[in-house]
Amino acid sequence: MTGASPVARLSLNQRTTAEWSLREAIDGCVRAGLPAIGVWREPVAEVGLDVAVRWVRDAGLRVSSVCRGGFFTGADPDARKLAHEENLRALDEAAALGAPTLVLVPGGLPDGDRDLVAARERAAEAVAALAPEAGVRGVRLGIEPMNPIYAADRGVVSTLAQALDIAALLPVEQVGVVVDTFHLWWEPDVHTTIRRAGARIASYQLADWITPLPADALLGRGHVGDGHVDFASFTRAVHAAGYTGDVEVEIFNADVWAAPGDDTVATLTDRYRELVEPHLH
Amino acid sequence: MTGASPVARLSLNQRTTAEWSLREAIDGCVRAGLPAIGVWREPVAEVGLDVAVRWVRDAGLRVSSVCRGGFFTGADPDARKLAHEENLRALDEAAALGAPTLVLVPGGLPDGDRDLVAARERAAEAVAALAPEAGVRGVRLGIEPMNPIYAADRGVVSTLAQALDIAALLPVEQVGVVVDTFHLWWEPDVHTTIRRAGARIASYQLADWITPLPADALLGRGHVGDGHVDFASFTRAVHAAGYTGDVEVEIFNADVWAAPGDDTVATLTDRYRELVEPHLH
């Protein structure tokens, strides 16, 4: 890789600079020399898909992923049908944006429902129903296992091993998994499981696990290096699995959001170059 | 079990009524007709072990467990030696109190240390070193797998499966596992793993997972029935595994602590009778 830029695979997930509009995030990436951006559907919708497609193309950016589909664990069949249709729209958008991956956040338990086993089964069924639709659009579904702190209200798929079990039944070009350090850093044997994931890895996302947890624990993600995650061993495992895609930094944190976007991008670029990139080859 | 009291196996873990002294907690159990108490070392130390032993004996209470040993993941060998010696004292106390189980909280990552794999190995080694000491005292070590929310700063053993892997190498009468609903409710295939645990189950502890998480996420445990845990299926699995010991209610929650102790005991007794006890036989 002699001569390649050290940030040749670095992508800004736009939620990391949540105060920026899509336009501002694109411009911020260009200013910082980042080659890729992970976009969210809501800010794309604000400007319209066609405009968003033109902006990222004109800026010369890759779209590393679209966040997010999923939310298909509703107990009501009508709700699941609506979720399926919404996911088709998300797949269309990802295809138009040239994103290889639609990140799937499975969804939590329905109100008052305590049957986690059944919710997980519904998630697996919904992924299976979407898989061929992803295939015809040339986009891959990325099942995102989420830290168990989110199991009740956001994501019932809690481990990489569990996500792989769901994906394993479906074609690898249609269904992969998202490896996010914040969500998975604690998982027993995760480095072995990452290697086993191999070509199933559809996205690699970075954020640190920090303590003490902030008052809003859902915003408890830190810059790479500020917390307890061992990014070196994690990244070596992802590299050893054969992953060659972009590496997204996705940080949910009120303090990070309050900082100027350019400062945030500068910090995450420095941390990536120091703590992640050396382990990617 | 015809004729047995519906609370014949219910135990108050004294942290649930954190404002009560040991004396007050013992009296509260007696007033409420509870047959057992889970004690913590600090309040026992406040009155002295001999006094505590006499009090629980005179009150006719069983001590279902002593909380807590462990905290043996230090990187420094001297720190681990001190932890081992502290755990011997905890075992002595558990034996004197007639408690079948010393609950082990493994401990977190040392400051600035990100090697979770190594910390977990040290935890396993420390349990192995303590096991024969537990055996000679007639007490069983209960490895407590903890919700991953605690993995960095309190407990590096994160799943029941992982706790069982550590215990499996050691005699079943010396080393068991703690099944705590708050810690394990999200674990994939946990009901199967509980059944597999069988005679390894050294303690069954109850608290609910509530959302939204309170500002202090470490105090985010609710009364049984207030959250997302499926106590029926959990309890049936514990029963099917052959567990016949006491069932402790252990709730860390600032609002619960602010309530009068007798009210808290009344609430947890009602919830236990309604949501747990019917599934124990």
Side-chain angles (χ1 to χ4, degrees), chain B residues 19-216:
Chain B
E19 300 300 309
W20 271 353
S21 66
L22 179 63
R23 180 73 258 170
E24 291 169 320
I26 290 169
D27 292 341
C29 286
V30 170
R31 273 195 304 279
L34 268 54
I37 186 169
V39 303
W40 280 57
R41 295 186 66 204
E42 295 79 358
V44 167
E46 277 172 22
V47 299
L49 180 62
D50 294 346
V51 171
V53 167
R54 192 173 70 243
W55 282 355
V56 293
R57 189 185 56 213
D58 290 353
L61 294 179
R62 292 188 297 274
V63 176
S64 50
S65 75
V66 171
C67 292
R68 53 199 186 173
F71 294 102
F72 35 41
T73 50
D76 172 17
D78 289 342
R80 290 205 299 282
K81 184 164 180 292
L82 286 174
H84 179 80
E85 289 163 3
E86 189 63 36
N87 277 289
L88 295 182
R89 285 189 286 277
L91 282 169
D92 288 338
E93 292 162 27
L97 288 157
T101 300
L102 173 67
V103 174
L104 296 182
V105 171
L109 286 168
D111 266 0
D113 185 332
R114 295 182 175 86
D115 192 343
L116 189 57
V117 174
R120 286 167 165 167
E121 286 170 1
R122 290 194 296 274
E125 287 165 10
V127 172
L130 275 178
E133 300 284 357
V136 298
R137 288 166 178 82
V139 175
R140 187 147 70 142
L141 303 171
I143 304 169
E144 181 158 38
M146 304 190 82
N147 195 293
I149 198 173
Y150 295 98
D153 49 6
R154 195 147 315 184
V156 294
V157 178
S158 303
T159 64
L160 182 59
Q162 192 180 30
L164 285 172
D165 285 346
I166 296 171
L169 306 171
L170 302 163
V172 67
E173 70 277 12
Q174 294 175 8
V175 181
V177 295
V178 177
V179 174
D180 182 306
T181 55
F182 172 87
H183 291 310
L184 301 177
W185 74 278
W186 61 271
E187 184 175 338
D189 302 318
V190 70
H191 301 145
T192 306
T193 306
I194 288 170
R195 285 175 166 82
R196 177 164 73 83
R200 289 282 177 185
I201 300 176
S203 177
Y204 180 36
Q205 297 187 331
L206 308 177
D208 215 335
W209 177 270
I210 54 175
T211 54
L213 287 170
D216 184 342

